[in-house]
């Protein structure tokens, strides 16, 4: 069983998009998956309400402890649990990291987003958890991504695959899907699969 925590202390990093896409990637890989939506905004719960498929299972905390919720899904047979966390909630972020087998830190290649990575990495390192940083909603080309990689090189653990900003993710979300399901042969879907494989190697 693998628990993946998606962490960022800055809003707009694309945590929810990655959380649901990775849970679907786990399904593609033959693993039963569940998503815990620990963000009060409930983005993934809202996505699940638009979704026809029953998997992955999606659950909100609804005031329940995160560790108890994760334990309940492990007992129910989930082989992969993805935890989507809120920004600016250090206690929840720290607990999610503590529960995780591996942490994924999404970051947009912009100065404000890059500045927010350090505090998140500090939390993860203090708990001695394996982690990876992935560039999300990245431009398809240009110098911005190369400069962002250079800026984060001191942290290490940066995924070689960037998830490019594509309309396919938005169209899929509107239909309660992920890009892997709506556009399974697209570059966007292949990027998610590559991040999934890379992340498994880190856990």
């Amino acid at each position: 069983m693998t628990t993946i925590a998606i962490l960022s202390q800055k809003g707009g990093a694309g945590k929810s998009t990655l959380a649901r896409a990775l849970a679907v990637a786990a399904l593609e890989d033959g693993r039963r998956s569940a998503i815990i939506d620990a963000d009060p905004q409930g983005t993934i719960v809202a996505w699940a309400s638009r979704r026809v498929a029953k998997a992955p299972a999606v659950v909100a905390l609804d005031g329940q402890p995160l560790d108890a919720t994760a334990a309940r899904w492990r007992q129910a047979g989930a082989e992969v649990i993805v935890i989507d966390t809120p920004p600016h909630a250090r206690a929840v972020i720290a607990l999610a990291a503590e529960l995780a087998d591996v942490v994924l830190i999404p970051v947009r290649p912009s100065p404000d987003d890059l500045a927010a990575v350090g505090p998140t990495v500090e939390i993860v390192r203090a708990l001695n958890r394996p982690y990876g940083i992935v560039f999300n909603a990245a431009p398809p080309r240009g110098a911005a991504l190369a400069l962002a990689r250079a800026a984060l090189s001191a942290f290490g653990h940066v995924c070689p695959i960037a998830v490019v900003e594509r309309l396919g993710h938005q169209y899929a979300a509107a239909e309660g899907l992920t890009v892997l399901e709506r556009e399974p042969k697209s570059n966007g879907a292949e990027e998610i699969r590559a991040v999934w494989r890379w992340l498994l190697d880190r856990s």
Side-chain angles (χ1 to χ4, degrees), residues 20-116:
R20 59 200 180 207
L22 291 172
V24 170
L27 293 175
E28 280 193 349
D29 206 17
R31 307 183 188 211
R32 294 186 297 275
S33 64
I35 308 172
I36 298 175
D37 190 347
D39 189 340
Q41 292 185 1
T43 301
I44 291 184
V45 170
W47 168 79
S49 72
R50 301 189 294 271
R51 187 170 173 79
V52 174
K54 301 299 183 184
V58 173
V59 61
L61 286 182
D62 289 331
Q64 299 299 309
L66 179 55
D67 51 355
T69 302
R72 186 166 67 250
W73 281 103
R74 283 195 295 269
Q75 292 168 2
E79 296 170 286
V80 174
I81 296 175
V82 183
I83 305 174
D84 186 28
T85 61
H88 311 303
R90 189 179 179 93
V92 175
I93 290 172
L95 180 55
E98 187 174 358
L99 294 171
D101 297 295
V102 62
V103 171
L104 185 65
I105 304 170
V107 57
R108 289 175 179 260
S110 73
D112 290 340
D113 287 73
L114 296 174

Side-chain angles (χ1 to χ4, degrees), residues 120-181:
T120 306
V121 171
E122 287 178 6
I123 292 171
V124 177
R125 284 180 171 173
L127 294 167
N128 197 29
R129 288 293 182 268
Y131 72 93
I133 300 168
V134 62
F135 286 106
N136 195 32
R141 60 183 64 86
L145 186 57
L147 290 172
R149 285 192 182 280
L152 295 186
S153 61
F155 293 117
H157 310 290
V158 178
C159 182
I161 305 299
V163 178
V164 172
E165 187 166 21
R166 303 179 190 277
L167 288 175
H169 292 287
Q170 298 177 33
Y171 293 148
E175 299 171 11
L177 300 171
T178 67
V179 70
L180 293 97
E181 300 157 302

Side-chain angles (χ1 to χ4, degrees), residues 2-36:
T2 301
T3 300
I4 303 167
I6 314 291
L7 308 185
S8 173
Q9 294 196 78
K10 186 178 184 305
K15 295 188 301 296
S16 298
T17 298
L18 282 176
R20 59 200 180 207
L22 291 172
V24 170
L27 293 175
E28 280 193 349
D29 206 17
R31 307 183 188 211
R32 294 186 297 275
S33 64
I35 308 172
I36 298 175

